[in-house]
Amino acid sequence: MLASVSRRSLKSTAFTSHTRAISVQSLLHGSEEAKKAGDLDIHQHSRLVGRGKYIHSFEAHCVKPEKIQEYKKAAERYYTGVKDDTQLRVKLTGSWETLVGQQNTFYHILEYENYGGYDKAHQILRVSEHHDTYNAMLPYITSRTSQLNQEFAFLPTATPHAQGGLFELRTYQLKPGTLLEWENAWRRGIEARRKFMVPVGAWFSQIGRLHQVHHMWQYPNLEVRKETREKAWEIDGWAETVSKTSQLATSMDSFILSALTYSPLK
């Protein structure tokens, strides 16, 4: 998901074999040894950097311009219905409309209790009334994508709140094999940003478009966003973080979003 919108000292883990641990580190950092080995899948990357407690489904809907209001009503019925159904054990992190970026695009983030929770919820969804409310949205949608993501261990997703303002979703397409290196650099540099604002959340993809990283911020307005980002450049460590992480990405995107009325994060 999200690929269709506009372009733009970790210690050795407790592997039983020292040789295997070296191979893991090498692969994550993109060495020649790793490129030849090729025997480590993306889920082993995830165990090193992910929180591992929840799975977040990112859903993007491109909507017919003349059907925006009808879509909003249908989406509210579906997503609030899923959120309020205790049998599903699914949380709605938030729902947003794009202000800057690909127009007529809406984003929804759902939180599941890991893959087991995702499987159980969708077994129920397929045979419940929620299936009908989901289908009620489809006539208003021109395209839709989904992606399953995991939180970075150092930054759990924010709890529901109503602070107002706007949200920024930033997406980075990483070079394959650089997730751990990106996480190490960004985790150190984020402390510079925390002095002024705490991110809403940070995730990396596991199913769907792979090798993507997302993080979200909330600002009162674009002017405060500009001032906050400028202040971060004055703190030691942020410039180095930007330099290192930019070398690991092949493209970057920034989207300005507005929370929908029923969004838990707004």
Side-chain angles (χ1 to χ4, degrees):
M1 174 184 150
L2 302 179
S4 60
V5 293
S6 57
R7 304 297 307 165
R8 281 268 250 231
S9 61
L10 185 73
K11 295 181 180 179
S12 296
T13 53
F15 288 88
T16 56
S17 167
H18 176 66
T19 301
R20 179 58 171 166
I22 294 175
S23 178
V24 169
Q25 294 292 340
S26 300
L27 179 55
L28 290 172
H29 288 276
S31 73
E32 287 303 316
E33 175 198 354
K35 293 173 184 177
K36 293 177 181 178
D39 60 349
L40 183 67
D41 66 28
I42 192 168
H43 298 297
Q44 289 174 298
H45 296 223
S46 304
R47 284 197 291 270
L48 294 177
V49 301
R51 187 181 179 199
K53 188 174 183 181
Y54 301 108
I55 290 296
H56 287 81
S57 175
F58 282 41
E59 302 180 0
H61 297 160
C62 294
V63 177
K64 298 175 182 177
E66 70 276 12
K67 296 295 184 180
I68 294 294
Q69 295 308 315
E70 291 89 340
Y71 168 80
K72 285 183 177 180
K73 292 177 182 178
E76 181 173 3
R77 285 194 296 271
Y78 174 71
Y79 286 104
T80 57
V82 169
K83 172 179 66 71
D84 295 337
D85 189 337
T86 56
Q87 185 182 14
L88 295 174
R89 301 177 66 86
V90 175
K91 294 180 181 178
L92 176 63
T93 299
S95 293
W96 297 269
E97 178 178 9
T98 302
L99 298 180
V100 181
Q102 183 166 324
Q103 298 297 287
N104 309 315
T105 301
F106 293 78
Y107 296 98
H108 309 277
I109 301 179
L110 293 166
E111 180 182 281
Y112 297 87
E113 295 178 350
N114 223 309
Y115 286 110
Y118 181 90
D119 290 338
K120 290 177 182 177
H122 279 264
Q123 288 174 0
I124 297 172
L125 286 170
R126 284 193 290 270
V127 296
S128 70
E129 62 182 12
H130 302 299
H131 180 73
D132 295 329
T133 57
Y134 184 86
N135 285 340
M137 293 190 294
L138 299 184
Y140 313 126
I141 298 173
T142 59
S143 66
R144 52 199 168 112
T145 59
S146 65
Q147 182 187 59
L148 298 185
N149 294 272
Q150 188 176 157
E151 299 167 305
F152 280 104
F154 66 90
L155 191 61
T157 306
T159 56
H161 61 246
Q163 297 178 0
L166 51 81
F167 291 78
E168 180 181 17
L169 177 64
R170 298 181 68 87
T171 295
Y172 299 78
Q173 185 68 47
L174 302 185
K175 299 174 184 177
T178 62
L179 175 61
L180 180 60
E181 192 174 354
W182 193 94
E183 187 268 353
N184 281 336
W186 200 70
R187 175 165 42 84
R188 291 194 298 269
I190 201 63
E191 295 306 315
R193 293 293 302 272
R194 283 183 188 272
K195 296 179 184 296
F196 308 105
M197 187 167 294
V198 177
V200 171
W203 308 267
F204 59 94
S205 63
Q206 292 199 301
I207 300 178
R209 176 56 63 92
L210 298 178
H211 311 298
Q212 278 194 337
V213 169
H214 313 286
H215 51 92
M216 180 178 282
W217 304 80
Q218 185 173 12
Y219 303 96
N221 51 55
L222 288 176
E223 182 63 26
V224 172
R225 172 187 178 274
K226 173 180 175 292
E227 294 171 355
T228 301
R229 291 175 60 83
E230 289 176 347
K231 290 177 182 177
W233 285 98
E234 300 172 3
I235 303 297
D236 289 342
W238 183 244
E240 182 182 3
T241 293
V242 172
S243 175
K244 287 184 176 180
T245 55
S246 63
Q247 295 175 43
L248 304 176
T250 60
S251 66
M252 308 176 219
D253 297 290
S254 171
F255 315 101
I256 300 300
L257 312 175
S258 175
L260 299 178
T261 56
Y262 59 89
S263 177
L265 282 175
K266 55 189 173 185

